[in-house]
Amino acid sequence: MSTILNYLKIAIKDQINYKNFNKYWTNLIKENKIKDKNLHFFIDKYINSESYKYTSKFWSTRNCKHLELLIKTGVENLDHEVSSDYFTWDNFYNSRIKNIIPHVENEKIFEKINIFKIHKNMDNFKSLQHNLLTSLLFKFMKKKDEYKYYQTLSQKKSFLLYNPIIEIDNINISQDLINSIIDIYEMEKIKKISGLNTSQNQVILEIGAGNGRMADAILSLFKNKKYIICDIPLASYFAFYRLNKSFINKKILCAFDISNENDLEKKINDNDIIFILPHQIRFLRKNLVDITLAFDCMHEMDKKTIEFYMKNINNFSKYFFMKVWEKTKVPYSLFNFLNVHNNSYFINKNWELIEKENSLFPSNFFNLSFKIK
């Protein structure tokens, strides 16, 4: 009985704090606060599309927060308050770091590190935790980096965008950079099987790409890849801005206004990076996508949305990789519990499991990869 009461208390609190993004956006338009034409296009197309109904209350609330920050600071000055909702961590505990610690427990701390740096919009304790965790991840990543991914990606300023930064051995470091490299190593099995680590032409689709960190990393490291990002604003707007700065010679298109298979395939053929909304994955032809990726996003969706994705992935993709919490409850959604050990994620019974293992970081995440039959 006490457990049920606790869940009800959480549900009531969630409903009180929930914010409707459509209403919030409409009020901003009335007040004439939005000047950016790209932002107008991204959000107007999204709100008036089928994809809006696939958005969880969690992300509706987060989008209100992100839009408020964007108006205040501009896209170039967004910081920890946005990045912490994607994949930047400002705290740690044993279940989050337990798989990393054994790899670095005998290592010495870096000679030069501004470990006590206080970050904008972070208190002293959060700043210290962020810096210590970043240095821990950096030490692990450098030790593991047999393919020298860091050597290529560390030259890119795009990995410093939206992120708190600390200086280690005279180099500016962000978790965006480190975590992207660790994630690529965690994909090792499916990367080899699917051919991602070769130079062959491939189509990659990423669900919930956030600020575009993985797209940035993969397109920088592996050549001849065509990249489709399936996400909602404001994340897709941030990623669009980032990737345009990062890849000035690539053709990048937002295809939110496409409504049929032929037109979408033509746009995919004519461009290098294509942004689509969730409902548009229905227009992807059978087996068009070589590998579908989902990092830190499926566990933030309502179950009906997860089921929608899985049914469509079964049609258009050859391989699938996801990284999710082992167990979680989606905020603002009553009794929406997800668990990698049951059928919460609607995995098709005909898919061939390639790998299912605990993540290196965060240690309470799981990596799952499949060949789609």
Side-chain angles (χ1 to χ4, degrees):
M1 182 63 75
S2 60
T3 303
I4 295 172
L5 287 173
N6 285 334
Y7 286 148
L8 288 172
K9 285 178 184 177
I10 292 169
I12 292 167
K13 185 179 178 182
D14 280 348
Q15 292 307 308
I16 292 170
N17 293 325
Y18 163 66
K19 293 180 181 176
N20 184 297
F21 183 65
N22 193 354
K23 289 181 180 177
Y24 186 74
W25 173 252
T26 302
N27 288 334
L28 290 176
I29 296 299
K30 287 178 182 176
E31 295 167 10
N32 199 29
K33 288 189 175 182
I34 309 298
K35 308 298 181 185
D36 186 326
K37 290 182 180 178
N38 275 338
L39 185 60
H40 258 288
F41 176 83
F42 269 74
I43 295 181
D44 284 341
K45 289 292 180 184
Y46 158 60
I47 283 178
N48 292 299
S49 75
E50 292 177 56
S51 291
Y52 187 72
K53 72 180 181 183
Y54 292 122
T55 307
S56 65
K57 289 183 177 180
F58 173 75
W59 270 106
S60 180
T61 303
R62 281 294 185 271
N63 272 338
C64 292
K65 168 192 165 185
H66 292 176
L67 189 53
E68 183 181 1
L69 290 167
L70 179 63
I71 293 167
K72 283 181 183 176
T73 67
V75 68
E76 287 213 13
N77 295 312
L78 290 165
D79 60 10
H80 159 260
E81 288 188 89
V82 168
S83 64
S84 62
D85 283 333
Y86 295 124
F87 209 71
T88 296
W89 307 90
D90 57 17
N91 59 67
F92 57 90
Y93 37 82
N94 186 58
S95 63
R96 183 169 285 172
I97 63 172
K98 66 180 181 180
N99 292 344
I100 288 281
I101 291 294
H103 294 275
V104 296
E105 61 180 344
N106 296 317
E107 299 287 322
K108 293 180 180 178
I109 195 72
F110 295 98
E111 288 185 13
K112 296 179 181 178
I113 179 171
N114 56 343
I115 197 76
F116 299 116
K117 180 179 180 180
I118 307 302
H119 298 282
K120 182 181 175 185
N121 296 320
M122 273 197 222
D123 61 27
N124 296 345
F125 185 53
K126 277 197 171 185
S127 293
L128 182 60
Q129 286 191 92
H130 167 272
N131 297 343
L132 185 57
L133 181 56
T134 304
S135 66
L136 168 71
L137 293 170
F138 186 53
K139 179 69 75 173
F140 169 76
M141 182 274 299
K142 289 199 78 174
K143 191 175 179 182
K144 183 178 180 65
D145 191 20
E146 59 180 303
Y147 299 130
K148 309 298 181 189
Y149 293 152
Y150 174 72
Q151 197 171 323
T152 300
L153 298 182
S154 62
Q155 309 302 315
K156 303 197 69 176
K157 292 183 179 178
S158 52
F159 283 95
L160 305 179
L161 189 65
Y162 312 136
N163 274 265
I165 299 158
I166 65 168
E167 194 173 290
I168 300 176
D169 291 348
N170 301 316
I171 303 167
N172 285 326
I173 299 295
S174 75
Q175 284 188 30
D176 236 20
L177 171 64
I178 304 164
N179 286 325
S180 298
I181 293 172
I182 291 173
D183 282 347
I184 289 172
Y185 277 107
E186 290 203 301
M187 291 169 56
E188 195 61 35
K189 248 183 202 178
I190 197 170
K191 185 157 64 77
K192 287 179 179 177
I193 293 170
S194 68
L196 179 60
N197 57 343
T198 69
S199 60
Q200 69 189 66
N201 293 320
Q202 284 184 312
V203 178
I204 300 165
L205 183 141
E206 186 179 359
I207 296 166
N211 65 23
R213 68 180 180 91
M214 288 304 296
D216 203 345
I218 288 170
L219 289 169
S220 299
L221 294 170
F222 309 115
K223 307 305 176 187
N224 301 323
K225 310 302 179 189
K226 199 174 285 285
Y227 214 95
I228 304 170
I229 288 177
C230 177
D231 207 348
I232 61 171
L234 291 160
S236 54
Y237 171 79
F238 297 147
F240 184 81
Y241 178 83
R242 173 194 187 135
L243 296 175
N244 270 286
K245 288 178 73 72
S246 186
F247 299 103
I248 57 174
N249 295 319
K250 287 190 182 292
K251 294 179 181 178
I252 304 176
L253 175 75
C254 177
F256 285 4
D257 52 357
I258 300 299
S259 59
N260 64 75
E261 181 180 310
N262 291 335
D263 287 349
L264 182 56
E265 186 159 4
K266 185 177 187 309
K267 295 298 184 185
I268 292 169
N269 290 334
D270 292 345
N271 293 277
D272 302 303
I273 305 173
I274 306 94
F275 285 78
I276 64 172
L277 288 166
H279 77 275
Q280 292 176 293
I281 62 174
R282 293 199 311 251
F283 306 138
L284 296 170
R285 69 166 169 80
K286 190 171 180 64
N287 294 329
L288 172 72
V289 175
D290 292 284
I291 181 169
T292 298
L293 305 171
F295 294 90
D296 187 38
C297 63
M298 304 294 283
H299 52 222
E300 295 169 345
M301 299 177 185
D302 294 333
K303 286 188 177 180
K304 65 178 182 181
T305 304
I306 297 170
E307 187 175 17
F308 167 80
Y309 272 118
M310 293 306 184
K311 282 182 178 178
N312 283 280
I313 289 168
N314 188 60
N315 180 58
F316 65 69
S317 192
K318 299 169 188 173
Y319 292 90
F320 176 56
F321 176 92
M322 73 174 181
K323 180 170 183 166
V324 291
W325 286 95
E326 181 178 12
K327 299 174 184 177
T328 190
K329 178 195 175 296
V330 181
Y332 308 102
S333 299
L334 187 62
F335 300 123
N336 193 18
F337 298 98
L338 300 170
N339 186 328
V340 296
H341 305 301
N342 60 31
N343 202 30
S344 299
Y345 290 96
F346 301 95
I347 302 299
N348 190 304
K349 64 181 181 180
N350 294 320
W351 292 2
E352 179 186 328
L353 179 65
I354 297 169
E355 192 168 36
K356 176 184 177 182
E357 65 176 10
N358 212 200
S359 300
L360 286 165
F361 179 80
S363 302
N364 44 9
F365 278 47
F366 259 71
N367 305 322
L368 296 96
S369 53
F370 302 90
K371 182 177 181 180
I372 297 170
K373 294 185 176 181

